[in-house]
């Protein structure tokens, strides 16, 4: 498994999602969304999962944290739900059918669930375990070590621990009814600081 194994979809929605993430995210967060997509796709290979909507997975990965940035921060909604609605708007503009645009919202919301049943939502499952690896270090031993190192060299973690930690704490403080509060209560800040991949970055 190598970085070159995985190529972003060459579609208008995929290009637009990456451009939006690049415009509004810091470099640390841009690298995070790219790694999250790569981890998700790599888990699909390791687990031999087929029938994946790769464009849906890519768009959802690019936009899964866009709700944290001030321009898309919703007063009451969780950041993942806010980001999901950004994905709905983007994919609707790209010509996706209503049901498929709704799937982008579902996948982004579910990436923050404690667990997702792949039989119910395989893209949501893959994004959840991909982001869990990048944020908390879950299942870091499942993917090949050489692949982890190659991805980290291309997309280093930089200030992810501080930036994402600060962002989710802010969300939890202002919106204690959302999943951000559960993440903070579950020790996400410490998990970021002591992430196993930080030592390889």
């Amino acid at each position: 498994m190598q970085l070159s194994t995985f190529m972003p979809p060459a579609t208008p929605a995929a290009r637009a999602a990456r451009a939006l993430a690049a415009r509004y995210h810091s470099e640390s967060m841009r690298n995070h969304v790219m790694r999250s997509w790569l981890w998700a796709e790599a888990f699909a290979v390791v687990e031999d999962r087929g029938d994946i909507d790769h464009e849906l997975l890519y768009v959802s990965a690019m936009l899964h944290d866009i709700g944290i940035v001030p321009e898309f921060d919703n007063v009451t909604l969780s950041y993942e739900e806010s980001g999901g609605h950004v994905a709905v708007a983007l994919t609707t503009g790209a010509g996706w059918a209503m049901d498929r645009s709704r799937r982008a919202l579902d996948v982004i919301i579910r990436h923050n669930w404690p667990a997702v049943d792949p039989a119910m939502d395989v893209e949501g499952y893959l994004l959840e375990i991909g982001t869990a690896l990048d944020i908390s270090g879950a299942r870091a031993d499942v993917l090949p070590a050489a692949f982890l190192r190659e991805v980290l060299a291309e997309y280093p973690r930089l200030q992810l621990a501080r930036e994402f930690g600060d962002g989710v704490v802010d969300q939890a403080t202002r919106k204690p009814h959302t999943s951000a509060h559960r993440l903070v209560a579950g020790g996400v800040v410490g998990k970021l600081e002591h992430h196993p991949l930080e030592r390889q970055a």
Side-chain angles (χ1 to χ4, degrees):
M1 184 183 297
Q2 296 178 317
L3 182 58
S4 59
T5 305
F6 307 103
M7 297 297 293
T11 66
R15 288 193 295 268
R18 185 166 186 176
L20 199 63
R23 179 172 180 176
Y24 288 99
H25 275 317
S26 68
E27 185 179 4
S28 297
M29 290 299 295
R30 289 196 301 271
N31 287 356
H32 161 64
V33 301
M34 281 299 297
R35 288 193 309 272
S36 296
W37 167 67
L38 288 163
W39 304 149
E41 289 283 4
F43 277 122
V45 171
V46 168
E47 297 181 2
D48 194 25
R49 296 192 178 276
D51 198 24
I52 296 164
D53 186 332
H54 293 281
E55 183 186 22
L56 170 64
L57 180 58
Y58 183 84
V59 168
S60 300
M62 291 300 103
L63 300 178
H64 77 271
D65 282 338
I66 202 77
I68 288 181
V69 305
E71 293 85 351
F72 299 109
D73 185 9
N74 187 283
V75 174
T76 58
L77 296 181
S78 64
Y79 71 87
E80 69 275 15
E81 188 171 357
S82 176
H85 286 292
V86 173
V88 169
L90 183 145
T91 55
T92 299
W96 287 21
M98 184 188 309
D99 288 349
R100 191 163 179 240
S101 286
R102 172 70 200 200
R103 284 286 296 122
L105 173 64
D106 291 340
V107 171
I108 292 175
I109 288 176
R110 290 168 184 165
H111 98 270
N112 255 359
W113 285 10
V116 180
D117 181 355
M120 183 264 291
D121 182 353
V122 69
E123 293 85 11
Y125 163 78
L126 291 170
L127 188 57
E128 186 274 318
I129 61 174
T131 55
L133 167 55
D134 210 60
I135 294 299
S136 65
R139 303 176 64 180
D141 59 338
V142 173
L143 301 182
F147 177 68
L148 294 174
R149 290 192 297 270
E150 184 183 13
V151 172
L152 287 167
E154 184 69 21
Y155 302 105
R157 294 180 68 81
L158 304 176
Q159 302 303 313
L160 176 67
R162 177 182 57 79
E163 291 182 19
F164 184 79
D166 288 350
V168 77
V169 167
D170 174 66
Q171 291 277 322
T173 301
R174 291 186 292 108
K175 294 180 274 190
H177 59 286
T178 66
S179 60
H181 187 272
R182 174 180 56 80
L183 292 174
V184 172
V188 70
V189 172
K191 291 173 182 177
L192 282 161
E193 291 174 350
H194 302 289
H195 198 289
L197 298 185
E198 287 288 341
R199 296 188 293 273
Q200 299 183 34

